[in-house]
Amino acid sequence: MLGSSRHAARGFATGRSWQPGSSLARELSRKPAVKSLVGATVHGAAPTHVANPASMPLFRRGGVDKKFESGAEAAALVHREVRRRDGAHAGLVRSVDSVASSLIPVFDAYPRMAWAFKHLVEPERVIQFKVPWTDKDGNTRINRGCRVQHSSVLGPFAGGLSFAQDMTTSRILEDAFEQVFQNSLTGLRLGGARGGADFHPQGKTRNEIKSFCQSYIMELARYIGPAKDVPCGGFGVGEREIGYMYGRYKRMTRRYDGGIAGDAVVNDLAGDVSLNRERASGTGVVLFAKQMIETASGGNNSLEGARCIVSGSGNVALAVARALVDAGAVPITLSDTTGYVCEPGGFTSDMLDQVERVKKSNPYQYNRRMSEYCKFSATSQFFPHAKGGGADSDSTSTTSFWEIPGDYAFPCAGHSEIGANEAKAIVQGEVKGVFEAATMPCTQDAVRVLRSSINFLYAPAKAANAGGPIMTSLGMSHATSTNTRRLADTTQEDLFGGLFDGMSRVFDECQHACDLYNVDMHDGANIAAFSRLGHAMIRQGYV
């Protein structure tokens, strides 16, 4: 069970004792305070304002200077410019508008930041290519692949790959923009990028998946590398897919470094160092939720004993459920595209092991479903989804999943799984908080509903789900180290200790921004992330 202190969260993540006098307690007492860039200038002194912001045009269009006199006007100008250039990419336009709205008080206080944001919204590189591959019948098939390298201001590009039938360049542009902010919050030297293809792994054989992955990486290999871009797994891209791509990458480039991130790669490079990005993502979300709940309640509430609604049943969802069990919480649901399973008494570790065995028995080829888990549990109940359920795809129908009563919700299934209707059901069901574990699982309409609810806790994915990038960076730094003694001494305790420290920094930065600007966690995360990006851009001469 977890206690109510952050030290307990550290012990939960690492398995170490946090009692007074222990090695961990002494280590924590020596830990320096987090140095925040929020509210500081490039050199950490008092803000240096542009003398007369109105005299400097933010844009020049049609021979007319576009100036601003307030942060709201600056945000509106950037939004109109993005809509003019990228109006066909509605998701990107909405994401930019959401972030720009959060940054209005920053633009008011530090006008130079508006010019930095103007540069940031334009991606550095958009790479699109065709991916030919051979199916089981010997037919040549073609899909479209893409990689958006959005910003390298803070370091080499880094971000996931996703394979899904509805994966488009427009969606990848949106995800890459959000990835920049998530990687910034980690405090690590990581730029932001995302990629993927409109390839649907479900129902494909192993050879078909291998054929596609090898063809995909042949096109992408020229644009990636440890000093340029480090792609990792994502939706539809697990360790098997990463392994196929890494094997072909090595044969093509004769490089054995961290050009691709993943367990298969790290274990190949570092031998006994065992990492898991999905486990880190799930654990990080629960650590963030624990700190946010305790901070908001002044220590009166915690995750212990809380009934939690978890959507999805993939690696991240199972990691969230396991972390909740370790925290003393009660995860009561898991789901997939066909429906959801409810365990009224909560999933135990043994039950989650059984779910994992069901789902990982070659899920793509044989299409294993959550309903099969019910064969192994007499207490479970399976409910098929209502027609049209999910993310407001049909405004006349709703899905009963988000009407389940509970204390906290952890959406882990995928992009835009919660729309306005689902958000209203969550709030009306007396759920006290939503902590995003998937990539942008809530639509903008859903976010507005959740944020407008009084005393409701909402943690955006860019903050709550920062554990994945943190673990990727830690793992690759250990795996590519030339210090063999350091590699031999690396343990899971070290890696998850680094995860705890990283998630603590993320929360502290976001909370500091919330307190400084009197905003909620949604705006605080955007402000904290952009503070680091904006200062780096000013130092590097973008502004």
Side-chain angles (χ1 to χ4, degrees), residues 8-231:
R10 175 65 177 272
F12 150 63
T14 65
R16 298 168 64 184
S17 171
W18 53 272
Q19 297 297 330
S22 67
S23 61
L24 177 57
R26 291 194 298 271
E27 177 186 334
L28 290 172
S29 67
R30 295 193 299 268
K31 182 181 174 182
V34 175
K35 294 183 179 179
S36 176
L37 286 174
V38 179
T41 61
V42 177
H43 304 292
T48 302
H49 295 267
V50 175
N52 184 10
S55 65
M56 299 178 61
L58 189 61
F59 296 102
R60 185 176 178 85
R61 292 287 173 261
V64 179
D65 289 341
K66 304 293 184 180
K67 304 177 181 180
F68 69 92
E69 295 183 355
S70 68
E73 291 181 6
L77 284 172
V78 174
H79 174 64
R80 283 199 293 269
E81 179 65 12
V82 172
R83 187 171 55 187
R84 183 187 70 85
R85 286 184 173 182
D86 299 303
H89 306 302
L92 175 63
V93 174
R94 288 193 296 267
S95 290
V96 171
D97 184 42
S98 176
V99 174
S101 298
S102 300
L103 298 179
I104 287 175
V106 178
F107 299 155
D108 280 326
Y110 319 124
R112 290 180 70 188
M113 288 296 194
W115 278 267
F117 188 65
K118 176 184 74 171
H119 284 279
L120 186 63
V121 298
E122 185 69 17
E124 294 183 21
R125 193 172 297 108
V126 179
I127 307 158
Q128 184 173 294
F129 47 88
K130 69 177 180 180
V131 185
W133 57 282
T134 304
D135 66 15
K136 61 183 179 182
D137 299 320
N139 301 314
T140 300
R141 301 173 64 177
I142 295 176
N143 287 87
R144 176 177 292 175
C146 180
R147 182 73 173 173
V148 176
Q149 297 174 332
H150 196 100
S151 173
S152 59
V153 168
L154 298 179
F157 300 106
L161 300 172
S162 298
F163 295 163
Q165 191 170 2
D166 60 349
M167 190 60 56
T168 63
T169 301
S170 180
R171 178 172 161 183
I172 294 172
L173 280 165
E174 178 186 6
D175 291 348
F177 177 74
E178 292 289 329
Q179 189 73 50
V180 173
F181 286 79
Q182 183 180 70
N183 289 356
S184 174
L185 279 175
T186 66
L188 302 170
R189 298 186 62 182
L190 296 173
R194 288 299 288 266
D198 58 349
F199 172 78
H200 197 45
Q202 195 171 3
K204 304 294 192 302
T205 66
R206 288 180 179 271
N207 284 336
E208 287 177 321
I209 294 173
K210 180 169 70 172
S211 175
F212 177 84
C213 290
Q214 291 177 342
S215 181
Y216 182 90
I217 201 64
M218 285 180 65
E219 293 296 328
L220 189 62
R222 71 191 73 178
Y223 303 106
I224 65 175
K228 295 189 294 185
D229 186 355
V230 183

Side-chain angles (χ1 to χ4, degrees), residues 193-484:
R194 288 299 288 266
D198 58 349
F199 172 78
H200 197 45
Q202 195 171 3
K204 304 294 192 302
T205 66
R206 288 180 179 271
N207 284 336
E208 287 177 321
I209 294 173
K210 180 169 70 172
S211 175
F212 177 84
C213 290
Q214 291 177 342
S215 181
Y216 182 90
I217 201 64
M218 285 180 65
E219 293 296 328
L220 189 62
R222 71 191 73 178
Y223 303 106
I224 65 175
K228 295 189 294 185
D229 186 355
V230 183
C232 57
F235 185 83
V237 181
E239 285 310 306
R240 178 170 59 182
E241 290 76 17
I242 289 293
Y244 291 151
M245 287 189 276
Y246 178 57
R248 179 54 60 93
Y249 172 81
K250 285 196 302 182
R251 292 182 62 187
M252 291 174 59
T253 63
R254 295 295 187 268
R255 298 180 68 107
Y256 296 85
D257 49 28
I260 303 175
D263 291 3
V265 183
V266 172
N267 290 331
D268 190 25
L269 295 174
D272 295 333
V273 181
S274 178
L275 302 171
N276 191 303
R277 177 186 170 92
E278 290 82 6
R279 181 184 171 193
S281 294
T283 303
V285 170
V286 175
L287 287 172
F288 192 95
K290 181 180 184 300
Q291 294 184 51
M292 188 172 177
I293 292 168
E294 293 172 358
T295 300
S297 65
N300 295 322
N301 292 331
S302 72
L303 272 175
E304 188 168 352
R307 293 176 65 82
C308 299
I309 304 167
V310 181
S311 69
S313 53
N315 291 335
V316 173
L318 289 173
V320 167
R322 290 184 188 280
L324 287 171
V325 171
D326 290 340
V330 185
I332 58 175
T333 62
L334 289 171
S335 69
D336 59 21
T337 56
T338 62
Y340 68 90
V341 169
C342 179
E343 282 282 3
F347 284 91
T348 64
S349 295
D350 291 340
M351 291 176 178
L352 293 174
D353 289 340
Q354 183 59 54
V355 172
E356 189 169 4
R357 284 192 290 270
V358 168
K359 296 293 290 187
K360 289 193 173 181
S361 178
N362 202 357
Y364 296 145
Q365 186 173 357
Y366 298 113
N367 198 19
R368 299 288 185 182
R369 302 287 82 190
M370 275 300 300
S371 57
E372 294 193 23
Y373 163 77
C374 296
K375 299 176 182 178
F376 304 93
S377 173
T379 59
S380 64
Q381 297 173 292
F382 177 76
F383 300 89
H385 280 313
K387 182 180 179 181
D392 293 336
S393 58
D394 181 355
S395 60
T396 64
S397 63
T398 60
T399 175
S400 59
F401 179 80
W402 296 111
E403 297 174 0
I404 300 171
D407 296 309
Y408 301 104
F410 293 80
C412 310
H415 195 281
S416 299
E417 62 175 299
I418 300 178
N421 289 339
E422 288 78 13
K424 292 175 183 176
I426 289 172
V427 174
Q428 292 170 0
E430 298 183 356
V431 172
K432 294 177 287 188
V434 169
F435 305 93
E436 294 185 339
T439 301
M440 300 179 66
C442 298
T443 65
Q444 295 296 336
D445 290 338
V447 171
R448 280 191 286 270
V449 172
L450 298 178
R451 295 179 64 197
S452 64
S453 301
I454 300 175
N455 296 326
F456 192 90
L457 301 180
Y458 168 68
K462 61 170 64 75
N465 197 21
I470 291 172
M471 187 57 76
T472 294
S473 179
L474 290 172
M476 297 312 298
S477 66
H478 282 286
T480 57
S481 172
T482 57
N483 188 335
T484 56

